[in-house]
Amino acid sequence: MENVLRPLIVLGGTVLLTLAIGWGTDRLLCKADERDHDTPLWGLLRRARIPYQLVLCAALLRGSYDQAKLLERHQVGIGRTLTLVLIGSAAWLVIRIAAAIVETTYSRYARVHRDAARVRRVRTQVELIMRVVSAIVIVVAVSSMLLTFPAMRAAGASLLASAGIIAAIAGVAAQSTLSNMFAGLQIAFGDMVRIGDTVVVDGEWGTVEEITLTFLTVRTWDERRITMPVSYFTSKPFENWSRGTPQMTGIVYWHLDHSAPIEAMREKLRDILRACPAWDGRACNLQVTDTTPNTIQVRALVTSKDADDIWSVRVTVREQMISWLSAEHPYALPRVNTAESVLPPSRVPSPDRASLRRAYEFPRTGRG
């Protein structure tokens, strides 16, 4: 009877104690969250309740398993398994706690500072720092798990002795990966590009959606995702429309007839922009920038508060100006000459030169 009750009491008591401690901790976090709504730390820490309970359960079982007298032949294997579970759940718990602290810090910073560019920069740095912390914790946890095996402990001295050679070989083999990682750190702390920035890369216009230590994702205007190595942004030129102030200047071109009413077009441009909510009112200009034998090139210069609004302003001005010209001044639109061409006299056959010359002479009155 004792052989049955002892394992049940030890294992059941451990599980009940784990659930009780986990429930009590969760209630304390709930009360702290209700008392302080401005700090999201307590609510974020509640996401760590599963790894927290795993750590408690594994630690209690590791300490009390010897008293259970269960499967004594496999005591070493079970103890090592509990140790591995304890190390893994502890690493999971550390990552969750670090994520909660980092997210809380970022939320407070975003509430205090109203500069969107600075907030995006801090967000990029925070995410990359969190990835580095997670990678370090995972590496330490895996190393600790490996060291629980006697064979790994015996090989530890030789591994440490050859660490320099292994590091050199790994550095040569993973040169591109390491360069991308250093480029990611350079982007994060050099403020070259941030999450949410509007960029133009390889002729594609889009918004930076994700930045990691090795790659960067750009979401284009048509919802496509372009994934590029971060080393691209440290080795090649690219356009960052969000650098500095987000204000943008846009240009609209028309090819019109030489008789186009330029002054009337300037007045119409002002009317169009006054009715356009995306125009920020900073600049409005219309000029003739080029001319050809058949047309003139007219350029309108408009402004807006950011890259998204400048697109709306440009298409609105282009569409409404063409509609107005078609309705009020159709002669201003470019035309194609469809009249029959007349050859010069030098290229007309000789029998017809006299008739051609008579056709171009002015009519005479009276007798000559």
Side-chain angles (χ1 to χ4, degrees):
M1 190 68 175
E2 182 181 357
N3 294 333
V4 177
L5 291 177
R6 182 187 294 270
L8 290 178
I9 292 174
V10 172
L11 297 179
T14 300
V15 173
L16 291 176
L17 183 60
T18 300
L19 294 176
I21 296 175
W23 180 82
T25 305
D26 187 66
R27 294 307 303 168
L28 290 176
L29 292 176
C30 287
K31 291 182 179 179
D33 190 24
E34 293 175 357
R35 190 166 51 248
D36 190 1
H37 294 285
D38 296 334
T39 303
L41 176 63
W42 313 115
L44 293 173
L45 285 177
R46 294 188 62 197
R47 299 178 183 176
R49 57 181 177 271
I50 295 178
Y52 175 65
Q53 292 178 350
L54 283 176
V55 169
L56 288 176
C57 186
L60 292 174
L61 285 177
R62 188 68 180 86
S64 62
Y65 181 75
D66 295 338
Q67 305 297 326
K69 306 296 182 180
L70 182 66
L71 299 176
E72 295 182 356
R73 295 181 179 179
H74 305 282
Q75 185 174 1
V76 176
I78 294 175
R80 185 170 298 157
T81 302
L82 292 174
T83 302
L84 295 177
V85 173
L86 178 61
I87 295 173
S89 57
W92 188 9
L93 179 62
V94 170
I95 292 175
R96 286 294 180 88
I97 293 175
I101 295 174
V102 169
E103 185 68 23
T104 302
T105 305
Y106 169 72
S107 300
R108 289 180 176 176
Y109 186 87
R111 285 199 305 266
V112 173
H113 296 82
R114 300 300 180 183
D115 188 357
R118 182 179 296 180
V119 171
R120 289 200 304 269
R121 180 185 64 187
V122 173
R123 178 185 174 187
T124 302
Q125 296 175 354
V126 161
E127 290 194 1
L128 289 177
I129 290 173
M130 190 60 217
R131 292 178 186 273
V132 172
V133 171
S134 300
I136 293 174
V137 171
I138 291 173
V139 169
V140 172
V142 172
S143 302
S144 302
M145 289 180 180
L146 293 177
L147 290 176
T148 58
F149 297 93
M152 294 297 176
R153 287 199 301 268
S158 60
L159 288 176
L160 291 175
S162 59
I165 301 175
I166 294 175
I169 295 174
V172 174
Q175 184 176 2
S176 60
T177 303
L178 291 175
S179 64
N180 279 331
M181 292 180 64
F182 285 115
L185 294 175
Q186 184 178 354
I187 286 177
F189 296 98
D191 198 21
M192 298 174 58
V193 62
R194 303 171 294 254
I195 295 176
D197 282 1
T198 301
V199 297
V200 178
V201 289
D202 285 343
E204 295 285 349
W205 175 86
T207 304
V208 177
E209 189 176 53
E210 183 182 6
I211 300 177
T212 68
L213 288 176
T214 55
F215 67 89
L216 185 147
T217 303
V218 177
R219 176 173 54 85
T220 61
W221 63 272
D222 54 355
E223 302 298 330
R224 291 182 292 116
R225 266 69 176 179
I226 302 176
T227 301
M228 311 180 70
V230 292
S231 58
Y232 175 92
F233 293 87
T234 58
S235 59
K236 297 182 180 180
F238 65 96
E239 297 182 26
N240 189 343
W241 292 2
S242 302
R243 185 75 175 180
T245 60
Q247 298 173 342
M248 296 291 297
T249 299
I251 296 174
V252 182
Y253 287 104
W254 298 278
H255 292 275
L256 305 175
D257 190 79
H258 289 81
S259 60
I262 302 302
E263 288 298 330
M265 290 180 64
R266 290 192 177 100
E267 293 295 331
K268 183 61 179 178
L269 176 63
R270 297 188 187 97
D271 295 339
I272 294 173
L273 292 177
R274 292 191 190 102
C276 181
W279 181 54
D280 61 357
R282 288 189 297 117
C284 167
N285 192 9
L286 188 142
Q287 293 176 333
V288 178
T289 57
D290 197 4
T291 180
T292 66
N294 298 321
T295 61
I296 59 174
Q297 185 184 70
V298 181
R299 185 196 71 179
L301 188 144
V302 294
T303 58
S304 68
K305 62 181 177 60
D306 55 27
D308 292 332
D309 283 350
I310 198 63
W311 174 263
S312 301
V313 175
R314 290 175 62 193
V315 296
T316 300
V317 169
R318 186 182 295 111
E319 292 175 0
Q320 294 190 17
M321 186 66 74
I322 290 295
S323 300
W324 177 74
L325 290 174
S326 300
E328 302 293 335
H329 304 278
Y331 60 88
L333 299 177
R335 291 168 289 179
V336 178
N337 189 0
T338 58
E340 295 182 359
S341 61
V342 179
L343 295 176
S346 60
R347 299 184 60 183
V348 178
S350 56
D352 296 329
R353 289 181 181 176
S355 60
L356 183 62
R357 186 164 49 250
R358 287 194 299 270
Y360 277 90
E361 288 179 351
F362 291 100
R364 299 177 179 177
T365 57
R367 296 181 181 272

